[in-house]
Amino acid sequence: MSSKKESKQSKKTVGTYKVYVRFFWGAFMSILLIIVSIFSAAGLGLLGEMPEFRQLENPKTNLATQIFSSDNKVLGKFYYNDNRTPLYYEEIPNDLVNALIATEDERFYSHSGIDARSTLRAVAYLGEKGGASTVSQQLARQLFTGVRSRNTLDAIIQKIKEWVIAVQLERRYSKKEIMTMYLNLYDFNYNADGLRSAANIYFSKEPSDLLLEESAMLVGMLKNSSLYNPLRRPELVVSRRNIVFQQMLRNEMLTLPEVDSLSQLPLRIQFNPQSHREGLATYFRAYLRQFMLNWINENPKPNGEYYNLYLDGLTIYTTIDSRMQAYAENSVEEHMSNLQKAFFEQNTPRWNPTAPFLDISEKEIERLLEQAMKRSERWRKMKLAGKTEDEIKDAFEEKTAMKVFSWKGDVDTLMSPIDSIRYYKHFLRSGMMSMDPQTGHVKAWVGGINYKHFQFDHVYQGKRQIGSTFKPFVYATAIDQLKLSPCDSFPDGFYCVEAKKFGAHEAWCPKNSGDRYTGMRTLKNALANSVNTISARLIDKVGPGPVSKLAADLGITSKIPSVPSIALGTADLSVYEMVASYGTFANQGIYVSPVMVTRVEDKNGTVLFEASPVTKDVLSAESAYVTVKLLEGVTEAGSGIRLRHQGAEQNNPTFGTVVTGYPYQFTNPIAGKTGTTQNQSDGWFIGMVPNLVTGVWVGGEDRATHFSSIAYGQGATMALPIWALYMKKLYEDPLLEVSLDSFPAPERVNIPLDCDLLARLRQKNTADSAVDLEDLGL
């Protein structure tokens, strides 16, 4: 009886077991079928759009255009929303690779896109012990699925899609390629799209130069770059970075002593924001943007489409030297901040009730302010919003919170927009360009004092009256046509170019500065001291037409009228034009058009554009050399002599205040010319050594904004100190190889240059019509 009961019990147990087995396998197969069905449905696009095979093979990413300096430094980028520059796996530091694997995906090299262990753990503990997203899944999210939805069902569908795409990515790409794509895509904030941009922005270096602690910080940010923001939450970022170290310890990539030591280190952020309004060479980059847009418009792709400057990942190689550019910008800032201090002191309401303007009426001041108001962005936006002119003008009188420029940093203040316009008109502006005269390569370009607040470029856009810096064109014409010598003398007396000559209706009778006349002067002395009457005599001899033609041949594209008054620099020209033209004198009479871009490549390295120099024979080598010797006289005994002497501050207070950096004490050959316009509205200095020509302009936005005295407003005070500061910095950097040598002379010079020796030879009546350089001691 009992055996029958046991037999029934046994059969019942076996039957129950079979039911459980069937149930288990049924449930397992059902779950598997559901998973396969879901994956199949996702793969077929039934759960929403999925990337096509072509998209997986060529995922679309926006690549910024990079701008490189001649010394291979990144000057900046052109981009819309994505400041992304790709890097190769070989450029990623091993420490960063290890940190990424230890922190984000420990089994990265063993799974096929889905980490089963991590997934089961995440499901079992509902994510409390870490997530399960592999690097491949995170890449899939960045490329195709986007930000995680807050809707639970949509989030689940997104996750399933990521699994499917991750597996597909693993089939098509190597592990190195997946890791590289992931690091190239991640957004680290502050326009730091991708690892290369992040390394540049947070640490001012390339990825390959990152230290272990820097790599760990960036890996820590991958969890949530907005939360782990090193500028806003440094303590939290340090904590997260140290977790990365702990993960590396766990995976035997670091030792405990190493982790303890590394965890004590501060962040050491060297924040280098990359925006169009900040960084190095901002004015040059603004010029370059327009240059490239013009080039793109004229050079479509083979298929007829146009390159996108902001998305196609072009590489632009420029002639700018990052070191020289930095020295130039520092020199401008050093002098202009000092000069501005003096200008403010001289334009207080007590000393100048119409500040910053001088010598104009209230009506003219109102006109200037209204013009500026109507050119402003605020006016444009209010006009688009349908406001009337009266409504807009009333709004410009209302005080509002704003941030304004000062040389000590931006200042938060409460000010009416019209007062801010007047405030900004107090600031003196500057333009500076430096060029190699033999190649035309532009080495430095500073278009103003601060691009964020003053975006008008005073190198290329701005054209101002050039004053005496134009006189060398008159002298060069006379030397070339008449074979005049620097030693030839002319009377320094009141002189008129008669009426109706050269088309003038009235006689032109220029006066010397201070109405001073001294008798006879050599051409060298006359140019050195900017004597107006001698320039008038010379243009009367050669005519204004040939002078205008020479200026055009020297690269001046602005129209210069053929009238005698051009001899004193009445034309409005740009720094860009003036530097290029002076370069011809230093290059033995051969004009070389300025070059800013040497090469443009597409994202694959294919050369799209390569510069070819544009040259023109303008002057004979002899005429150019004689002109250079005249210009050397300016710095030896003329208006540029302050480049050489010392001790002047004892008798002249301006040398101790606004002649920034004085004394300079240069001893090498320097050819140059100062320029000062009427009422001291513009100050110029263009200086040359054999392999570098640099021009500087300083003045107010309006001609009515100027110093009241020549002591402060002359070119030798306003512009020359920038040149001097810049050149001293260049000479302190021997790697730049800026020349200290004499200007190279032609093989034979028939025009006498040594005036003392020539005088002695003439006295002995032994002067020859052809005088060798050796005979004259040159």
Side-chain angles (χ1 to χ4, degrees):
M1 191 73 179
S2 67
S3 64
K4 286 183 177 181
K5 284 183 178 181
E6 289 176 3
S7 177
K8 285 182 178 180
Q9 187 68 36
S10 175
K11 288 179 179 179
K12 186 177 181 180
T13 302
V14 171
T16 303
Y17 174 74
K18 287 181 177 180
V19 169
Y20 283 138
V21 169
R22 290 194 190 99
F23 176 78
F24 170 79
W25 283 108
F28 176 78
M29 293 303 293
S30 297
I31 292 171
L32 185 61
L33 182 61
I34 290 170
I35 292 173
V36 171
S37 299
I38 290 172
F39 269 72
S40 299
L44 293 170
L46 300 178
L47 298 182
E49 187 178 357
M50 290 287 284
E52 299 174 359
F53 174 82
R54 184 168 49 85
Q55 289 176 289
L56 288 169
E57 289 291 321
N58 300 284
K60 179 68 175 177
T61 56
N62 296 331
L63 300 178
T65 289
Q66 284 196 105
I67 307 162
F68 278 91
S69 66
S70 61
D71 54 323
N72 207 36
K73 302 293 183 183
V74 177
L75 289 175
K77 302 176 186 179
F78 295 133
Y79 57 90
Y80 277 136
N81 296 318
D82 297 340
N83 176 22
R84 181 175 293 106
T85 306
L87 80 166
Y88 299 102
Y89 181 83
E90 291 72 24
E91 298 175 89
I92 305 172
N94 286 331
D95 288 334
L96 194 144
V97 173
N98 290 337
L100 175 61
I101 291 172
T103 309
E104 295 292 322
D105 195 350
E106 290 179 321
R107 286 170 287 281
F108 175 70
Y109 291 113
S110 59
H111 64 65
S112 298
I114 301 172
D115 187 344
R117 284 172 58 183
S118 296
T119 302
L120 290 173
R121 184 198 64 220
V123 171
Y125 294 98
L126 301 177
E128 291 182 3
K129 292 193 175 183
S133 288
T134 62
V135 168
S136 306
Q137 290 172 38
Q138 293 179 52
L139 175 60
R141 182 189 304 172
Q142 290 185 71
L143 284 173
F144 301 110
T145 63
V147 179
R148 179 74 72 239
S149 174
R150 294 187 177 183
N151 180 283
T152 304
L153 179 59
D154 289 342
I156 292 172
I157 292 174
Q158 276 184 311
K159 190 66 181 177
I160 293 169
K161 285 183 175 182
E162 287 169 17
W163 285 340
V164 175
I165 296 169
V167 172
Q168 292 177 339
L169 289 171
E170 289 273 352
R171 290 175 181 172
R172 286 169 173 80
Y173 297 99
S174 69
K175 293 290 186 180
K176 289 182 179 180
E177 289 172 328
I178 287 172
M179 180 174 289
T180 304
M181 281 194 289
Y182 174 61
L183 291 172
N184 273 330
L185 279 172
Y186 191 81
D187 181 359
F188 289 88
N189 283 332
Y190 300 107
N191 293 321
D193 297 308
L195 180 61
R196 188 187 297 279
S197 293
N200 285 326
I201 287 173
Y202 289 113
F203 299 110
S204 299
K205 58 176 64 174
E206 286 296 302
S208 57
D209 299 324
L210 290 171
L211 302 174
L212 171 55
E213 60 270 23
E214 295 166 344
S215 295
M217 188 204 87
L218 294 176
V219 168
M221 292 177 68
L222 294 172
K223 185 176 179 67
N224 184 333
S225 59
S226 296
L227 177 63
Y228 297 103
N229 184 323
L231 301 184
R232 292 186 175 183
R233 304 180 186 90
E235 297 84 2
L236 189 62
V237 173
V238 168
S239 176
R240 176 65 185 163
R241 181 202 65 182
N242 292 348
I243 289 174
V244 174
F245 292 146
Q246 291 295 332
Q247 287 296 108
M248 295 179 76
L249 174 63
R250 174 185 162 181
N251 286 272
E252 300 181 349
M253 296 171 178
L254 292 175
T255 64
L256 184 58
E258 287 175 329
V259 169
D260 290 340
S261 176
L262 288 166
S263 298
Q264 302 304 313
L265 295 174
L267 288 180
R268 294 197 185 98
I269 299 294
Q270 293 184 23
F271 190 58
N272 176 34
Q274 292 182 354
S275 76
H276 304 312
R277 295 189 175 192
E278 296 174 299
L280 199 63
T282 46
Y283 289 93
F284 173 74
R285 286 188 275 135
Y287 162 82
L288 184 61
R289 179 187 292 108
Q290 192 57 51
F291 172 91
M292 286 302 302
L293 291 174
N294 292 340
W295 180 87
I296 286 169
N297 189 53
E298 296 169 2
N299 296 272
K301 298 177 183 178
N303 62 6
E305 295 179 358
Y306 289 95
Y307 291 99
N308 190 310
L309 180 63
Y310 308 99
L311 304 177
D312 282 352
L314 303 178
T315 304
I316 306 170
Y317 294 93
T318 74
T319 60
I320 297 294
D321 186 294
S322 69
R323 298 158 297 181
M324 297 173 74
Q325 179 69 29
Y327 293 147
E329 292 185 13
N330 291 340
S331 299
V332 168
E333 180 177 349
E334 190 175 343
H335 177 60
M336 292 303 292
S337 59
N338 191 33
L339 190 68
Q340 189 66 48
K341 182 180 177 183
F343 188 80
F344 275 132
E345 289 172 353
Q346 295 181 26
N347 282 275
T348 61
R350 177 187 175 190
W351 299 109
N352 181 15
T354 61
F357 311 109
L358 274 174
D359 307 321
I360 61 173
S361 66
E362 283 293 338
K363 188 174 181 179
E364 288 175 303
I365 292 172
E366 288 176 11
R367 181 180 58 82
L368 287 174
L369 294 176
E370 184 168 331
Q371 285 178 345
M373 183 167 53
K374 290 183 175 180
R375 288 196 304 264
S376 70
E377 184 68 8
R378 186 185 296 269
W379 180 282
R380 187 185 70 82
K381 287 182 177 179
M382 293 184 77
K383 198 72 175 173
L384 287 174
K387 303 290 185 182
T388 66
E389 286 204 7
D390 287 339
E391 287 174 327
I392 298 174
K393 287 179 179 179
D394 289 342
F396 267 77
E397 298 290 343
E398 296 174 5
K399 287 190 175 183
T400 184
M402 62 177 67
K403 191 185 292 287
V404 297
F405 170 79
S406 86
W407 277 112
K408 294 181 179 179
D410 289 356
V411 176
D412 290 309
T413 187
L414 196 66
M415 186 183 291
S416 70
I418 193 66
D419 284 341
S420 73
I421 289 173
R422 192 161 192 151
Y423 169 74
Y424 276 120
K425 283 186 176 292
H426 279 77
F427 284 93
L428 298 172
R429 318 297 168 85
S430 182
M432 175 184 183
M433 185 175 119
S434 195
M435 186 189 84
D436 182 326
Q438 281 77 47
T439 63
H441 286 191
V442 174
K443 296 298 183 181
W445 178 305
V446 187
I449 58 175
N450 183 289
Y451 185 76
K452 181 179 177 182
H453 293 278
F454 308 94
Q455 292 174 27
F456 189 79
D457 177 23
H458 289 285
V459 168
Y460 192 78
Q461 287 178 292
K463 295 185 178 184
R464 295 293 288 257
Q465 201 172 70
I466 52 173
S468 295
T469 52
F470 190 81
K471 288 177 181 175
F473 301 157
V474 180
Y475 281 68
T477 305
I479 291 166
D480 204 43
Q481 285 190 7
L482 308 176
K483 304 303 176 186
L484 295 180
S485 163
C487 309
D488 288 334
S489 296
F490 288 84
D492 175 18
F494 188 73
Y495 186 82
C496 290
V497 177
E498 63 190 53
K500 297 185 180 181
K501 194 173 185 181
F502 309 120
H505 296 294
E506 298 178 353
W508 180 62
C509 308
K511 295 180 179 180
N512 286 341
S513 177
D515 214 11
R516 294 189 300 270
Y517 308 92
T518 59
M520 298 297 290
R521 286 182 185 266
T522 64
L523 287 185
K524 188 169 187 177
N525 178 280
L527 184 62
N529 292 281
S530 255
V531 180
N532 291 339
T533 57
I534 305 298
S535 296
R537 289 179 184 275
L538 291 179
I539 204 165
D540 195 13
K541 283 181 175 293
V542 299
V547 176
S548 295
K549 184 181 183 305
L550 176 64
D553 290 342
L554 292 173
I556 304 295
T557 56
S558 302
K559 183 171 177 57
I560 298 178
S562 296
V563 295
S565 61
I566 63 172
L568 305 189
T570 54
D572 288 354
L573 303 178
S574 68
V575 172
Y576 177 90
E577 291 174 297
M578 291 301 290
V579 170
S581 61
Y582 268 61
T584 308
F585 301 136
N587 194 35
Q588 299 189 324
I590 301 171
Y591 169 77
V592 182
S593 178
V595 177
M596 283 70 70
V597 177
T598 56
R599 193 169 78 255
V600 178
E601 296 178 356
D602 68 12
K603 65 181 179 182
N604 298 315
T606 303
V607 176
L608 305 176
F609 165 82
E610 201 152 18
S612 54
V614 177
T615 63
K616 182 179 182 180
D617 288 338
V618 178
L619 290 167
S620 68
E622 180 187 42
S623 296
Y625 183 68
V626 172
T627 304
V628 166
K629 300 309 286 185
L630 280 170
L631 291 168
E632 284 184 354
V634 175
T635 69
E636 292 168 353
S639 56
I641 195 172
R642 61 183 64 186
L643 289 171
R644 303 192 182 281
H645 63 48
Q646 59 179 321
E649 73 277 6
Q650 297 175 9
N651 300 314
N652 189 334
T654 60
F655 282 85
T657 53
V658 293
V659 185
T660 315
Y662 179 85
Y664 310 114
Q665 296 179 274
F666 290 102
T667 57
N668 57 298
I670 298 170
K673 187 71 188 78
T674 58
T676 309
T677 62
Q678 191 172 11
N679 297 327
Q680 300 80 240
S681 293
D682 306 276
W684 290 80
F685 183 72
I686 301 174
M688 303 186 291
V689 294
N691 64 349
L692 196 67
V693 181
T694 303
V696 182
W697 166 85
V698 174
E701 180 183 16
D702 304 295
R703 296 182 195 275
T705 302
H706 57 80
F707 282 103
S708 59
S709 70
I710 192 73
Y712 286 87
Q714 63 179 305
T717 302
M718 290 215 293
L720 179 145
I722 294 176
W723 189 92
L725 291 167
Y726 171 63
M727 293 300 293
K728 284 182 76 72
K729 289 176 171 62
L730 298 186
Y731 285 133
E732 289 168 1
D733 190 341
L735 294 177
L736 296 174
E737 298 182 341
V738 177
S739 177
L740 287 165
D741 299 331
S742 299
F743 287 87
E747 290 184 7
R748 187 172 182 82
V749 177
N750 295 318
I751 297 173
L753 296 174
D754 189 323
C755 300
D756 293 335
L757 179 57
L758 181 62
R760 293 196 299 271
L761 289 172
R762 280 174 173 168
Q763 286 174 1
K764 295 178 182 179
N765 203 23
T766 57
D768 198 300
S769 59
V771 184
D772 286 337
L773 291 174
E774 186 177 347
D775 293 337
L776 293 177
L778 295 177

